[in-house]
Amino acid sequence: MTVTLAFDVYGTLIDTQGLVTMLRGMVGDKAAEFSRTWRERQLEYTFRRALMQNYVPFSACTAQALDHTCALYKTPLGPDQRTALLDAYRTLPAFSDVADGLALLRAAGFRLYAFSNGTAEAVRTLLDAAGVADLFLDIVSTDDLRSFKPNPAVYSHFLRMAGATGAETWLVSSNPFDVIGALSAGWRAAWVKRSPDALFDPWGIPPTATVPDLRHLAAAIAG
């Protein structure tokens, strides 16, 4: 049985905190906290919009979350600064283990897909910038359903697009909500615990495997 791996992109392959240095030149010492809040608000907006069935693309959630964060921290940005940040978000850096980890998994015979809240075009841009786009068989976006993770429908959509079943598919994500969403949909799931301080939600739905980075994933699946 060939195992299919569905990789979350933002926060798993791509570092959503990769603009802290750029932010420091705009908001000073608040940069790290500002960046975390921006990401938290971005995800909150996707959750709310999925529940409300009031869809906008992920990029719109990102921009609206930025505006909210600016207001929250009382750090207004000029139009050029705002545009520069949103443009830079399209080419956020990959984590250092991603290229090597994905290449090892591809060589081991796994079927690799990118599976994201971002549009296929936005994800392609990120993966191209990271130099890893060719390692994936395809990109599956929740944008196809005009919804977001962890709506159960988007996990079913992935299986249809990849020609896979939940029993032979693993979600790979650093986001606990995504891991739990996939497990609830009948998949297996690996949590990439990139920080020793990261916490998993205490819902009684543990990940199938936990790894510190992608280089450990093949062994965790086999074990």
Side-chain angles (χ1 to χ4, degrees), residues 55-192:
Y55 180 77
V56 297
F58 189 65
S59 58
C61 293
T62 301
Q64 291 166 354
L66 175 60
D67 293 341
H68 180 95
T69 304
C70 288
L72 179 67
Y73 286 93
K74 298 180 173 57
T75 52
L77 300 177
D80 290 346
Q81 290 177 311
R82 182 180 184 275
T83 297
L85 279 173
L86 293 175
D87 284 347
Y89 209 91
R90 292 176 53 82
T91 54
L92 285 165
F95 289 103
S96 61
D97 61 294
V98 167
D100 290 345
L102 291 175
L104 288 170
L105 291 162
R106 180 70 178 267
F110 294 103
R111 303 173 72 230
L112 277 55
Y113 286 81
F115 178 38
S116 179
N117 280 337
T119 64
E121 178 186 5
V123 172
R124 173 68 64 180
T125 297
L126 283 169
L127 299 181
D128 279 339
V132 297
D134 291 344
L135 295 172
F136 293 94
L137 293 173
D138 204 353
I139 296 167
V140 178
S141 170
T142 67
D143 180 65
D144 297 339
L145 296 188
R146 297 178 62 80
S147 190
F148 296 109
K149 302 172 183 178
N151 179 349
V154 304
Y155 299 98
S156 296
H157 174 66
F158 175 88
L159 296 180
R160 289 192 298 271
M161 296 299 291
T165 67
E168 65 190 19
T169 301
W170 285 66
L171 178 82
V172 183
S173 181
S174 294
N175 297 302
F177 78 86
D178 196 9
V179 171
I180 292 173
L183 291 165
S184 298
W187 297 23
R188 298 179 183 183
W191 180 40
V192 185

